[in-house]
Amino acid sequence: MIPVGGYAGARVAVLGLGRSGLAVARALAAGGAEPLLWDDSPEARARAEAAGFTLFDLTRGAAWDDVAALVVSPGIPHLYPEPNRLIARAMAAGVPVDNDIGLFFRSFATPDWDDMAVAPRVVAVTGSNGKSTTTALIHHILQAAGRPTQMAGNIGRGVFDIDPPQDGDVVVLELSSYQTDLARALTPDVAVFTNLSPDHLDRHGGMGGYFAAKRRLFAEGAPDRAVIGVDEVEGRFLANQMAQGAADDRVIRISSGQKLDGPGWSVFARKGFLAEWRKGRQVASIDLRAMPGLPGAHNHQNACAAYAAARALGLAPRVIEEALASFRGLPHRSQTVGERGGVRFVNDSKATNADSAAKALQAFDRIRWIAGGLGKEGGIAALAPHLGSVVKAYLIGHSARDFALQLGDLPHEICETMERAVARAAAEAEPGETVLLAPAAASFDQYKDFEQRGDDFNARVAALIAT
């Protein structure tokens, strides 16, 4: 556990008692603070009490007297689409509002570091797509290189549940816009911006607010090195703001699909090859095409981001290449789960919107596509340019018929359930084809989350392969 520093003897309110809220409460107590816990949900309050915590009703009139800070769980909106009433009350009372990420950054460094040969460092990854894979890939590279490392944030453990860092430790954090938006301290040593596409716009008041939340990781923290994807205009803007000139190698620009010129430091992937350029010359090249855990251009972008972060930490290109080759990917993200009769089965249940599904569809040839669920605004109309590799679609869930109308002349079948979709796709698939689950929809019509949906797909495939 990392104890929270700076609040010894103070009363600190905690709003939201999920995983991060309870971890913060424990860390506050370990740092000598008095945590005041509250959640609007009776079930969450009951779980907190069962865990040994004392509740404090923040809805009372005098609740904010002598409160030093309010720590808000990331899932609670604080400004848009409308201010949370308790957060608004804290702000009116002049109580500083923070979250677990802000407290982590102000508590991470301790006097114990004076006795370490190499001070611990933090790599923080944000962006719209690929955050989890990039974070896990950086962590994997460090592990393969024999470097002490921990992974936390929006993936793995909560930031306060990690162990106190040892000599030379590298903590790799995945940070969502919900986490960067409210943190009062953001000081990573290496900050990574993968890409930007519309998401969570109601929470951030539009695309500008969404980008602003991501940008805070760089603008507030001034990282020693910034790894920035420049395939969208926002990334190019951010890279320009962070660099003092074209040759400033504190900024590493990354891309998937375009060659990056200039005297600075860049890492890009084209036609399956990753290239590193520095000071106007190529210094390394890696063939990504045969790496099973990194299929498709979107994963090649993730590889570029992870490679650049690892290079910023001082790792050699060949060490990174060996680690990339041994990476097997994350569950439910372009995950190859089996093969039968020359047909590959791939689980990308995390593709919950059209943008992420488009990336999955571009990663494979001759696809039997399983899609559907609880469709989002616009459905799959935006996928029309990316359906050239789809042999046939097998549609499931609430939006199956709506999706069918948007597919036009593309062969499709309304299957409704995962069981039937997997069975029909497997029965019709020919050698060399891929049965791909990339739903382009939320899972909540039939499953509790995308993980359960992906697990169902995996189980159906495993049963088929076993027969």
Side-chain angles (χ1 to χ4, degrees), residues 16 123 148 161 163 175 252 277 324 342 372 449:
V123 179
D161 286 332
D163 300 324
L175 299 182
I252 308 176
W277 283 67
L324 292 176
D449 51 34

Side-chain angles (χ1 to χ4, degrees), residues 130-457:
K131 295 188 300 298
S132 295
T133 297
T134 299
T135 302
L137 188 51
I138 295 169
H139 180 61
H140 173 78
I141 292 168
L142 290 165
Q143 285 182 315
R147 298 281 291 272
T149 178
Q150 301 183 72
M151 182 172 65
N154 207 41
I155 185 174
R157 292 181 288 177
V159 290
F160 284 109
D161 286 332
I162 67 172
D163 300 324
Q166 57 181 298
D167 198 325
D169 204 351
V170 180
V171 176
V172 188
L173 302 179
E174 178 192 343
L175 299 182
S176 71
S177 59
Y178 292 2
Q179 293 169 306
T180 58
D181 196 17
L182 202 57
R184 297 173 72 90
L186 287 166
T187 54
D189 298 278
V190 179
V192 180
F193 176 86
T194 58
N195 51 57
L196 198 77
S197 60
D199 206 0
H200 310 304
L201 301 190
D202 58 337
R203 172 71 179 261
H204 297 292
M207 195 68 176
Y210 179 50
F211 175 50
K214 302 287 189 185
R215 180 182 174 275
R216 292 191 75 249
L217 182 63
F218 300 82
E220 301 293 327
D224 295 334
R225 281 258 158 68
V227 176
I228 301 175
V230 294
D231 288 335
E232 295 87 28
V233 64
E234 292 89 354
R236 294 191 289 274
F237 174 85
L238 180 58
N240 181 269
Q241 285 206 315
M242 296 300 295
Q244 296 300 314
D248 187 352
D249 68 0
R250 293 174 301 174
V251 175
I252 308 176
R253 293 169 172 83
I254 64 167
S255 172
S256 175
Q258 60 175 317
K259 180 179 179 180
L260 300 178
D261 298 314
W265 196 351
S266 62
V267 178
F268 57 89
R270 296 180 69 202
K271 299 180 179 179
F273 287 87
L274 180 152
E276 177 188 2
W277 283 67
R278 197 167 185 182
K279 298 180 179 178
R281 66 184 184 90
Q282 182 172 315
V283 297
S285 177
I286 297 174
D287 186 351
L288 301 173
R289 293 173 298 176
M291 295 186 177
L294 297 167
H298 62 303
N299 275 308
H300 294 174
Q301 183 186 58
N302 299 334
C304 288
Y307 176 96
R311 291 287 284 143
L313 293 169
L315 274 66
R318 291 295 164 241
V319 172
I320 303 172
E321 180 177 8
E322 292 176 3
L324 292 176
S326 64
F327 183 67
R328 288 297 175 261
L330 288 178
H332 317 300
R333 297 164 175 86
S334 295
Q335 174 195 17
T336 297
V337 296
E339 185 173 321
R340 188 185 75 160
V343 176
R344 177 164 51 169
F345 295 83
V346 176
N347 168 10
D348 203 334
S349 183
K350 185 62 170 67
T352 59
N353 57 44
D355 184 69
S356 53
K359 292 178 171 60
L361 290 170
Q362 294 172 72
F364 305 98
D365 297 321
R366 297 171 59 193
I367 297 168
R368 301 279 174 173
W369 179 32
I370 299 176
L374 192 60
K376 298 185 177 180
E377 185 176 355
I380 56 172
L383 291 178
H386 308 293
L387 300 179
S389 296
V390 176
V391 178
K392 183 177 177 180
Y394 304 81
L395 305 175
I396 64 175
H398 179 271
S399 298
R401 285 167 175 77
D402 290 337
F403 281 16
L405 292 174
Q406 293 180 305
L407 288 174
D409 295 332
L410 182 75
H412 61 270
E413 181 176 337
I414 295 176
C415 297
E416 295 187 348
T417 67
M418 184 71 73
E419 179 180 16
R420 178 169 174 78
V422 171
R424 293 290 299 142
E428 296 184 347
E430 300 178 357
E433 294 182 344
T434 296
V435 176
L436 170 67
L437 171 66
S443 58
F444 306 125
D445 56 334
Q446 295 177 314
Y447 303 94
K448 70 176 183 179
D449 51 34
F450 74 85
E451 288 99 338
Q452 188 184 55
R453 176 172 60 191
D455 289 341
D456 189 18
F457 174 81

